[in-house]
Amino acid sequence: MSLLDLRAATLGQEHVAHAHDHHQLILATRGTTELSIEGRGDRITGKRGCLIPCGRHHDYRGDGRNRTFVLDIPATSLPALRDGEAIGRLFERPRFFTVPPRLNRLASSLMQQLECCPALHSEIAALLLRALYLHLESEPLPGDVGVAASPSFSGRLDLARLDVWIDHHLADEIRVEQLASLCALSAGHFHACFRELTGMTPLTYVQRRRLDHARALVVHSGLSLGHIASLVGFRDQGSFSRAYRRRFAVSPSRARCDDQGLPSLGQEHRSSGQAKGAESA
């Protein structure tokens, strides 16, 4: 095998199962392929790709209409590649990842180049791998970590994976569309499946996760409440305090005082008054 072996393929509807002694990148420009690695899988589309480490058993079945890049990377070739050591770390475990529109457009362009000039496959492979490395290095979404639980819609709602992504974006606006894309589902279908699985809407779930993290910061850190509010995505301290009280039936300032064994402001006033009364007596 050469340093990098790239080919454009249409994966058929027959079921294929195997393992090989090289790493593999699977990236589609159109169509769909159901792919599972050691029993855990996802759907390869223009929005989802996959990295398969060498030696990992996997199986797949295409729709017969897809157009898919298959890039084979011998582990022995990594030292000769630019950023080879870092690229090797991408293959430490099986992983599916989200393909942003700009990477999909690049892949589509490179697919055309490969079909027109197959002799340039090594150069195109190096460019594609470099673009993927830069994407995963700069935007490590939780969709890039681990493997989804099942190719079924409900199975792709991997809450542990979603939690990691949410936790990395607590300070940002989080939209249902973003969460749905991590599971390769439409926003509407994701919303329905998520509610069926958890009993709450996706945004209610995100709000609870924000407040659970805030609670730990309120109790265990010395950060100001305003700073904590911004860290977990609230626009101001007032809205944060109201949400916190609704969730935990206590204000964040009172929760902090109670945890530290300090009297609240009202208690301090009452204690002061009682002391003065005792002195007068």
Side-chain angles (χ1 to χ4, degrees):
M1 184 180 293
S2 61
L3 199 62
L4 294 172
D5 184 17
L6 178 67
R7 58 191 181 278
T10 297
L11 304 179
Q13 297 178 333
E14 68 278 7
H15 179 263
V16 178
H18 60 200
H20 35 63
D21 60 359
H22 52 267
H23 302 314
Q24 195 169 72
L25 161 66
I26 307 295
L27 191 66
T29 57
R30 69 170 186 264
T32 302
T33 296
E34 299 286 352
L35 191 148
S36 175
I37 306 173
E38 297 180 344
R40 308 190 71 189
D42 206 334
R43 179 174 291 184
I44 304 301
T45 68
K47 295 182 179 180
R48 294 287 284 171
C50 183
L51 297 173
I52 307 172
C54 62
R56 296 298 188 104
H57 184 273
H58 54 282
D59 57 278
Y60 63 87
R61 186 194 307 271
D63 62 2
R65 301 183 300 276
N66 60 85
R67 202 60 181 147
T68 306
F69 272 129
V70 179
L71 175 58
D72 296 334
I73 308 165
T76 54
S77 71
L78 289 173
L81 298 177
R82 181 182 178 186
D83 298 313
E85 182 178 352
I87 290 171
R89 289 197 294 271
L90 298 180
F91 292 93
E92 289 178 347
R93 62 187 180 280
R95 58 197 300 184
F96 293 100
F97 58 89
T98 299
V99 179
R102 63 183 181 279
L103 182 56
N104 179 261
R105 289 192 295 270
L106 175 63
S108 297
S109 175
L110 292 178
M111 181 74 77
Q112 295 177 8
Q113 293 296 321
L114 181 63
E115 292 171 339
C116 292
C117 307
L120 296 178
H121 80 280
S122 293
E123 291 79 3
I124 294 172
L127 180 56
L128 182 64
L129 185 58
R130 176 67 177 167
L132 175 65
Y133 162 69
L134 291 175
H135 163 59
L136 295 179
E137 187 74 2
S138 63
E139 299 183 52
L141 303 181
D144 309 328
V145 180
V147 181
S150 163
S152 67
F153 287 143
S154 60
R156 293 217 299 279
L157 294 182
D158 186 338
L159 288 180
R161 185 169 56 129
L162 290 170
D163 285 347
V164 174
W165 191 89
I166 292 168
D167 292 352
H168 277 83
H169 294 80
L170 287 175
D172 307 325
E173 179 186 6
I174 296 177
R175 301 188 305 277
V176 172
E177 291 81 359
Q178 294 170 300
L179 300 176
S181 70
L182 298 175
C183 302
L185 295 174
S186 69
H189 205 144
F190 171 84
H191 191 282
C193 291
F194 192 96
R195 188 159 192 168
E196 181 179 356
L197 179 66
T198 66
M200 66 184 78
T201 67
L203 293 185
T204 297
Y205 184 89
V206 169
Q207 180 84 323
R208 286 196 173 194
R209 197 144 187 94
R210 292 187 195 277
L211 292 169
D212 288 344
H213 279 271
R215 189 181 198 179
L217 292 172
V218 166
V219 173
H220 299 297
S221 82
L223 298 174
S224 70
L225 297 182
H227 190 186
I228 292 173
S230 65
L231 288 176
V232 297
F234 286 84
R235 64 180 182 274
D236 55 57
Q237 185 176 331
S239 59
F240 165 63
S241 295
R242 289 189 293 274
Y244 193 102
R245 185 188 291 273
R246 284 194 299 270
R247 176 81 171 95
F248 302 116
V250 64
S251 69
S253 56
R254 178 61 181 268
R256 171 168 282 178
C257 290
D258 288 350
D259 182 76
Q260 295 174 348
L262 299 176
S264 66
L265 184 59
Q267 289 174 319
E268 289 177 341
H269 287 169
R270 287 195 298 272
S271 297
S272 175
Q274 289 168 354
K276 290 179 179 178
E279 290 172 359
S280 300

